[in-house]
Structure formats: C-alpha cells, structure tokens
Amino acid sequence: MAQMTVQVVTPDGLKYDHHASFIHAVTKDGQIGILPGHINLVAPLEVDELKVRRVDDESHVDWIAVNGGIIEVKDDFITIVANSAERDRDIDVSRAERAKQRTERVLEEATKSDRNVDVQRAQVALRRALNRINVGTKIR
C-alpha cells in the first residue's frame, strides 16, 4: 500500500509523526486532499482541522487542531510547521469552551470601544478556540 509520512512540528517540538494514506487540510486558497504521489507543494494553512487517515486501518483517522502555519509536500513526506497543534485526544474541551467564552467577552468589549487591533486579535483567538472545540469533540 502506498503511504506518506506526516509530521506536525510546532515551536514546542514534534507533535505528530505517523504514516498516512490520505490527508485533508485547509490552506489559505481552500481545501486540499493529499494522496501518495501528490505533487510537491508549499502552502500557508488556515486555523482549521487536519484529518489524517492512517495506513494501519482505513477507519483509523487522527484529527489535529492546527493553528496556522505551512504545509510542505515533498516526495510523500508531509511536514506541517504550525504555530500550535493539538491532537483530538489531547484537547481539554472544557478549557477550550472557557477560552471561547472569555474571547467572546473581549471581542464584544473591543467592538464597542472600536479598538480594531483588539478586535482582530480576539477574532483569531476565537477561531482557535472554536477549532479546538470542533476537533476535541469529533466522534471517534
């Protein structure tokens, strides 16, 4: 069976390292599906989920919350360099929910006060919290 090696690296180190038969990611230009033999590419990533179908079992899927970064595909070796990343099993959903609630309050205050920089930061933080919640609540 054809396979790829997938590594997710953050400033904290290697977060994921497995073989895969399929990867789904969301880039700044849209969604991308990667199979073995994919052309080489480099693309910036959105704050979104990464789906990795493992080679050991067709139904074995790993979900990873990726908070921006880049993806590089080169000769069936996929490297994702992300600002931060968490596997679904490592996400504390209640903590992510609390972060979402805090961020929504900050966003509301910043919007009322017309503080554009604070609004933009809060919107990014909210996207990250929602991404973590989404990945952390995936049905396994």
Side-chain angles (χ1 to χ4, degrees):
M1 169 186 256
Q3 66 182 17
M4 307 169 287
T5 300
V6 181
Q7 289 187 339
V8 178
V9 182
T10 70
D12 296 329
L14 185 65
K15 294 290 184 178
Y16 186 85
D17 185 10
H18 287 285
H19 295 290
S21 61
F22 174 77
I23 297 165
H24 175 268
V26 180
T27 71
K28 298 284 184 183
D29 291 328
Q31 299 182 30
I32 184 170
I34 301 169
L35 293 166
H38 196 282
I39 62 169
N40 295 344
L41 70 86
V42 175
L45 293 171
E46 288 286 351
V47 172
D48 213 308
E49 64 191 25
L50 176 70
K51 176 182 180 180
V52 180
R53 179 163 290 126
R54 301 264 298 267
V55 295
D56 54 351
D57 179 3
E58 187 68 22
S59 64
H60 188 169
V61 174
D62 290 332
W63 295 94
I64 305 164
V66 177
N67 292 316
I70 60 166
I71 184 169
E72 178 187 36
V73 179
K74 186 170 184 185
D75 303 326
D76 289 333
F77 195 92
I78 291 81
T79 305
I80 294 156
V81 180
N83 300 329
S84 66
E86 283 182 277
R87 289 184 65 172
D88 57 352
R89 66 182 187 195
D90 299 327
I91 294 173
D92 181 343
V93 176
S94 63
R95 184 172 161 244
E97 287 280 357
R98 289 189 306 272
K100 174 185 170 276
Q101 291 169 356
R102 278 191 313 272
T103 303
E104 287 172 335
R105 286 191 301 271
V106 169
L107 181 57
E108 186 178 334
E109 286 180 24
T111 302
K112 286 179 184 175
S113 302
D114 202 28
R115 297 186 322 254
N116 290 337
V117 172
D118 291 340
V119 168
Q120 291 171 352
R121 286 182 184 151
Q123 288 171 334
V124 170
L126 184 57
R127 278 198 309 271
R128 289 180 176 183
L130 291 170
N131 185 38
R132 292 179 69 237
I133 292 166
N134 182 44
V135 171
T137 57
K138 289 281 185 192
I139 297 174
R140 296 172 187 89

